[in-house]
Amino acid sequence: MKKFIIKHITHPEKYNYFFYRWLVSIFYPDKQSVKLIGVFLWLYHQNSRMIEFTDMFMIDNTIYIYTQRPSFWIGKGGCTMDSLYDYLNKDKDGKKIHDYHIQIIEDLQSANRYKNITFTTMSENY
């Protein structure tokens, strides 16, 4: 079941993201949501207001970030993603203490996405 959900949730252009996200919430309850606090702490310490996301969840040791702008999360040459990875997986001395993975899914179906496209089109045409 896990492979099926991951296959469909990581390809939102082909499948309905929100249905599979609902399945994740049923089969993988938010017991691991405490681990997501590390991502929020990293955002706070980075003092980054430009990095936005629509949804964030975790299946096993993989954190899935659903965002309209994946380039902000990746950063220049992957530096932002490396910084987040190090913050989640290493202690102060640089020793590896966890094995979390991060996967970014581009938001192609949310209401915010359609709203932004509509307002951009309207402003360009008038």
Side-chain angles (χ1 to χ4, degrees):
M1 183 69 167
K2 183 172 88 172
K3 287 181 183 181
F4 175 78
I5 291 174
I6 290 173
K7 174 188 172 195
H8 288 82
I9 208 163
T10 55
H11 296 87
E13 66 276 358
K14 293 181 182 178
Y15 307 106
N16 189 347
Y17 169 82
F18 299 106
F19 173 71
Y20 293 104
R21 177 61 175 100
W22 175 71
L23 287 178
V24 168
S25 67
I26 290 173
F27 290 108
Y28 300 96
D30 288 342
K31 294 176 190 171
Q32 299 176 349
S33 63
V34 174
K35 297 174 185 174
L36 293 175
I37 292 174
V39 177
F40 299 118
L41 289 173
W42 176 81
L43 285 170
Y44 176 76
H45 290 299
Q46 295 295 318
N47 197 14
S48 177
R49 294 185 176 98
M50 293 297 295
I51 300 178
E52 59 185 35
F53 62 94
T54 306
D55 188 19
M56 190 180 308
F57 60 94
M58 189 169 186
I59 298 176
D60 294 337
N61 281 340
T62 305
I63 297 171
Y64 294 91
I65 301 171
Y66 188 64
T67 181
Q68 291 182 24
R69 305 225 175 183
S71 59
F72 287 157
W73 283 93
I74 296 169
K76 189 178 239 181
C79 65
T80 307
M81 190 62 67
D82 291 341
S83 172
L84 175 59
Y85 183 81
D86 290 342
Y87 186 83
L88 293 174
N89 291 320
K90 295 182 180 177
D91 63 358
K92 291 185 261 182
D93 301 327
K95 190 171 81 170
K96 190 170 183 174
I97 55 174
H98 296 292
D99 190 27
Y100 297 131
H101 302 283
I102 303 162
Q103 185 164 356
I104 303 218
I105 305 168
E106 187 174 4
D107 178 4
L108 299 173
Q109 296 180 342
S110 74
N112 283 334
R113 170 83 173 173
Y114 289 123
K115 177 192 66 140
N116 291 343
I117 290 171
T118 302
F119 285 128
T120 302
T121 304
M122 288 174 61
S123 67
E124 289 175 356
N125 291 335
Y126 295 106

Short mmCIF file of all heavy atoms in Angstrom, two decimals, residues 2 33-34 41-42 47 51 55 66-70 75 80-81 95 97 105 111 117-120:
data_model
loop_
_atom_site.label_atom_id
_atom_site.label_comp_id
_atom_site.label_asym_id
_atom_site.label_seq_id
_atom_site.Cartn_x
_atom_site.Cartn_y
_atom_site.Cartn_z
N LYS A 2 1.99 1.22 0.73
CA LYS A 2 2.86 2.38 0.82
C LYS A 2 3.43 2.75 -0.54
O LYS A 2 3.42 3.93 -0.92
CB LYS A 2 3.98 2.12 1.82
CG LYS A 2 4.89 3.31 2.01
CD LYS A 2 5.86 3.07 3.14
CE LYS A 2 7.07 2.40 2.60
NZ LYS A 2 8.17 2.28 3.54
N SER A 33 4.36 13.57 13.21
CA SER A 33 4.32 15.01 12.95
C SER A 33 5.22 15.78 13.89
O SER A 33 5.62 16.90 13.58
CB SER A 33 2.89 15.52 13.03
OG SER A 33 2.39 15.36 14.32
N VAL A 34 5.55 15.20 15.03
CA VAL A 34 6.48 15.86 15.95
C VAL A 34 7.84 16.03 15.27
O VAL A 34 8.52 17.03 15.49
CB VAL A 34 6.60 15.03 17.25
CG1 VAL A 34 7.66 15.59 18.16
CG2 VAL A 34 5.27 14.96 17.96
N LEU A 41 11.54 24.63 12.81
CA LEU A 41 12.64 25.27 13.54
C LEU A 41 13.73 25.73 12.58
O LEU A 41 14.30 26.80 12.74
CB LEU A 41 13.21 24.32 14.59
CG LEU A 41 12.34 24.05 15.79
CD1 LEU A 41 12.95 22.97 16.67
CD2 LEU A 41 12.14 25.32 16.59
N TRP A 42 14.02 24.91 11.58
CA TRP A 42 15.02 25.30 10.59
C TRP A 42 14.57 26.55 9.84
O TRP A 42 15.37 27.47 9.63
CB TRP A 42 15.25 24.15 9.60
CG TRP A 42 16.18 24.50 8.50
CD1 TRP A 42 17.55 24.51 8.54
CD2 TRP A 42 15.82 24.91 7.18
NE1 TRP A 42 18.04 24.89 7.33
CE2 TRP A 42 17.01 25.14 6.47
CE3 TRP A 42 14.60 25.09 6.53
CZ2 TRP A 42 17.02 25.55 5.15
CZ3 TRP A 42 14.61 25.49 5.22
CH2 TRP A 42 15.81 25.72 4.54
N ASN A 47 15.44 32.42 9.21
CA ASN A 47 14.75 33.71 9.09
C ASN A 47 14.30 33.91 7.64
O ASN A 47 14.47 34.97 7.07
CB ASN A 47 15.64 34.85 9.56
CG ASN A 47 14.84 36.10 9.84
OD1 ASN A 47 13.62 36.06 9.91
ND2 ASN A 47 15.52 37.21 9.99
N ILE A 51 10.53 31.15 1.71
CA ILE A 51 10.28 29.72 1.54
C ILE A 51 8.87 29.42 2.02
O ILE A 51 8.57 29.56 3.19
CB ILE A 51 11.32 28.87 2.28
CG1 ILE A 51 12.72 29.18 1.75
CG2 ILE A 51 11.01 27.41 2.14
CD1 ILE A 51 13.82 28.43 2.45
N ASP A 55 1.73 22.12 1.85
CA ASP A 55 1.48 20.98 2.73
C ASP A 55 2.80 20.30 3.04
O ASP A 55 3.77 20.39 2.25
CB ASP A 55 0.53 20.00 2.03
CG ASP A 55 0.05 18.89 2.94
OD1 ASP A 55 0.13 19.03 4.17
OD2 ASP A 55 -0.44 17.87 2.41
N TYR A 66 5.08 19.81 -0.14
CA TYR A 66 4.23 20.14 -1.29
C TYR A 66 4.25 21.66 -1.41
O TYR A 66 3.73 22.37 -0.54
CB TYR A 66 2.83 19.59 -1.02
CG TYR A 66 1.86 19.67 -2.17
CD1 TYR A 66 2.06 18.96 -3.33
CD2 TYR A 66 0.70 20.43 -2.06
CE1 TYR A 66 1.14 18.99 -4.36
CE2 TYR A 66 -0.22 20.48 -3.09
CZ TYR A 66 0.01 19.76 -4.24
OH TYR A 66 -0.90 19.80 -5.26
N THR A 67 4.86 22.20 -2.46
CA THR A 67 5.07 23.63 -2.57
C THR A 67 4.87 24.12 -4.00
O THR A 67 5.05 23.36 -4.96
CB THR A 67 6.48 24.01 -2.07
OG1 THR A 67 6.66 25.41 -2.19
CG2 THR A 67 7.56 23.29 -2.86
N GLN A 68 4.51 25.39 -4.14
CA GLN A 68 4.35 25.99 -5.46
C GLN A 68 5.70 26.38 -6.07
O GLN A 68 5.83 26.46 -7.27
CB GLN A 68 3.47 27.23 -5.38
CG GLN A 68 2.04 26.93 -5.07
CD GLN A 68 1.19 28.19 -5.04
OE1 GLN A 68 1.53 29.19 -5.66
NE2 GLN A 68 0.10 28.14 -4.33
N ARG A 69 6.66 26.62 -5.22
CA ARG A 69 7.98 27.06 -5.68
C ARG A 69 9.08 26.14 -5.17
O ARG A 69 9.75 26.44 -4.18
CB ARG A 69 8.23 28.48 -5.20
CG ARG A 69 7.13 29.42 -5.62
CD ARG A 69 7.70 30.64 -6.13
NE ARG A 69 6.63 31.48 -6.65
CZ ARG A 69 6.87 32.61 -7.21
NH1 ARG A 69 8.10 33.01 -7.34
NH2 ARG A 69 5.90 33.33 -7.67
N PRO A 70 9.31 25.04 -5.84
CA PRO A 70 10.35 24.11 -5.38
C PRO A 70 11.75 24.71 -5.43
O PRO A 70 12.62 24.32 -4.67
CB PRO A 70 10.24 22.93 -6.34
CG PRO A 70 9.03 23.12 -7.14
CD PRO A 70 8.57 24.52 -6.97
N GLY A 75 17.25 25.84 -3.60
CA GLY A 75 18.29 26.84 -3.43
C GLY A 75 19.31 26.80 -4.55
O GLY A 75 19.24 25.98 -5.46
N THR A 80 20.24 25.16 -0.04
CA THR A 80 19.16 25.22 0.94
C THR A 80 18.74 23.83 1.37
O THR A 80 18.54 23.56 2.56
CB THR A 80 17.95 25.98 0.35
OG1 THR A 80 18.39 27.25 -0.13
CG2 THR A 80 16.87 26.18 1.37
N MET A 81 18.63 22.93 0.42
CA MET A 81 18.25 21.55 0.72
C MET A 81 19.34 20.87 1.57
O MET A 81 19.03 20.14 2.51
CB MET A 81 18.03 20.77 -0.57
CG MET A 81 17.43 19.42 -0.37
SD MET A 81 15.81 19.44 0.37
CE MET A 81 14.86 20.18 -0.90
N LYS A 95 27.96 14.88 13.62
CA LYS A 95 27.77 13.43 13.62
C LYS A 95 26.33 13.12 13.22
O LYS A 95 25.39 13.74 13.68
CB LYS A 95 28.06 12.88 15.01
CG LYS A 95 28.14 11.37 15.07
CD LYS A 95 28.65 10.90 16.41
CE LYS A 95 27.48 10.93 17.37
NZ LYS A 95 27.78 10.28 18.66
N ILE A 97 22.87 11.57 13.26
CA ILE A 97 22.05 10.98 14.32
C ILE A 97 20.71 10.45 13.79
O ILE A 97 20.08 9.64 14.44
CB ILE A 97 21.80 11.99 15.46
CG1 ILE A 97 21.20 13.28 14.93
CG2 ILE A 97 23.07 12.25 16.23
CD1 ILE A 97 20.80 14.28 15.98
N ILE A 105 7.46 18.03 -3.80
CA ILE A 105 6.41 17.81 -4.80
C ILE A 105 5.90 19.18 -5.22
O ILE A 105 5.54 20.00 -4.37
CB ILE A 105 5.25 16.98 -4.21
CG1 ILE A 105 5.77 15.66 -3.63
CG2 ILE A 105 4.18 16.74 -5.25
CD1 ILE A 105 4.74 14.92 -2.80
N ALA A 111 -5.95 25.30 -4.77
CA ALA A 111 -6.71 26.51 -5.08
C ALA A 111 -5.80 27.73 -5.15
O ALA A 111 -6.01 28.63 -5.98
CB ALA A 111 -7.79 26.72 -4.03
N ILE A 117 -2.38 31.81 -10.84
CA ILE A 117 -2.36 31.78 -12.30
C ILE A 117 -3.40 32.74 -12.87
O ILE A 117 -3.15 33.48 -13.81
CB ILE A 117 -2.60 30.35 -12.82
CG1 ILE A 117 -1.38 29.47 -12.50
CG2 ILE A 117 -2.88 30.33 -14.31
CD1 ILE A 117 -1.60 28.00 -12.76
N THR A 118 -4.58 32.75 -12.27
CA THR A 118 -5.66 33.62 -12.74
C THR A 118 -5.29 35.09 -12.61
O THR A 118 -5.44 35.87 -13.55
CB THR A 118 -6.96 33.34 -11.96
OG1 THR A 118 -7.29 31.97 -12.13
CG2 THR A 118 -8.09 34.21 -12.44
N PHE A 119 -4.77 35.48 -11.43
CA PHE A 119 -4.42 36.89 -11.23
C PHE A 119 -3.23 37.30 -12.09
O PHE A 119 -3.17 38.43 -12.57
CB PHE A 119 -4.15 37.18 -9.76
CG PHE A 119 -5.41 37.25 -8.94
CD1 PHE A 119 -5.53 36.50 -7.79
CD2 PHE A 119 -6.47 38.04 -9.34
CE1 PHE A 119 -6.68 36.56 -7.03
CE2 PHE A 119 -7.63 38.11 -8.60
CZ PHE A 119 -7.74 37.37 -7.45
N THR A 120 -2.30 36.41 -12.33
CA THR A 120 -1.17 36.72 -13.20
C THR A 120 -1.66 36.93 -14.63
O THR A 120 -1.25 37.88 -15.30
CB THR A 120 -0.13 35.58 -13.17
OG1 THR A 120 0.30 35.39 -11.83
CG2 THR A 120 1.06 35.90 -14.03
#
